[in-house]
Amino acid sequence: MGAIQYETDYYGWTLEQAELIKSKRLDELDFDHLLEELESMGASEKRELLNRLRVLLMHLLKWQYQPEFRGRSWVNTIREQRRMIPVHLKQNPSLKGKLDEFMLDGYELGRGGAADETGLPESTFPLNARGALNKP
């Protein structure tokens, strides 16, 4: 098995690295890129949680500040995020310790998204989530 280049054939590289690990040929592993990929995998899980919180909080703000547009789609989106966030945390329990930080970031992003989607000025929405959100 020749050394497949990470930059030119990512899929082939992953298969080769897996085979090297299975056959315990550790001295042939591409440790620099393996480390990069492991760190990237963790970052991906963080991004997913942040995005789910952003979507949830944005829809809750829209629900609160544009009651005339409430509909099934918003309810479904809110319910989906409320179902999936605990599942994601269960699958990635180390993220629980950062939940407060993600909530702050998710609210800020959701606030901006709500302003963009509603056309209301961002100043319409409270600067923080405490007391700002009513549940549908």
Side-chain angles (χ1 to χ4, degrees), residues 57-113:
L57 294 166
M58 177 177 66
H59 278 77
L60 288 170
L61 285 168
K62 290 179 356 179
W63 184 271
Q64 172 96 14
Y65 288 89
Q66 283 196 321
E68 67 275 13
F69 294 114
R70 291 176 181 171
R72 196 92 223 121
S73 172
W74 288 3
V75 170
N76 290 339
T77 298
I78 290 166
R79 286 181 180 165
E80 175 69 8
Q81 299 312 315
R82 285 183 170 161
R83 280 191 288 263
M84 294 308 296
I85 289 168
V87 169
H88 191 70
L89 289 170
K90 183 177 179 184
Q91 293 172 345
N92 299 280
S94 296
L95 290 173
K96 287 180 186 176
K98 296 191 172 273
L99 190 54
D100 288 344
E101 174 187 335
F102 289 126
M103 282 293 290
L104 293 172
D105 292 342
Y107 181 79
E108 178 142 345
L109 293 168
R111 183 175 177 256

Side-chain angles (χ1 to χ4, degrees), residues 12-68:
W13 176 85
T14 62
L15 295 176
E16 181 181 63
Q17 297 304 300
E19 184 55 39
L20 290 170
I21 292 170
K22 284 179 196 171
S23 62
K24 298 190 180 2
R25 293 171 32 211
L26 306 181
D27 57 323
E28 297 177 49
L29 287 172
D30 181 355
F31 281 103
D32 291 338
H33 287 118
L34 282 170
L35 176 60
E36 184 179 317
E37 288 303 312
L38 285 171
E39 289 171 342
S40 176
M41 290 165 55
S44 174
E45 297 304 322
K46 285 171 51 175
R47 277 191 304 276
E48 181 176 343
L49 177 59
L50 180 60
N51 187 54
R52 289 192 176 280
L53 289 167
R54 177 194 62 81
V55 170
L56 173 62
L57 294 166
M58 177 177 66
H59 278 77
L60 288 170
L61 285 168
K62 290 179 356 179
W63 184 271
Q64 172 96 14
Y65 288 89
Q66 283 196 321
E68 67 275 13

Side-chain angles (χ1 to χ4, degrees), residues 119-135:
L120 297 170
E122 196 166 320
S123 60
T124 302
F125 307 104
L127 288 175
N128 61 57
R130 289 209 189 332
L133 304 170
N134 288 332
K135 296 180 181 181

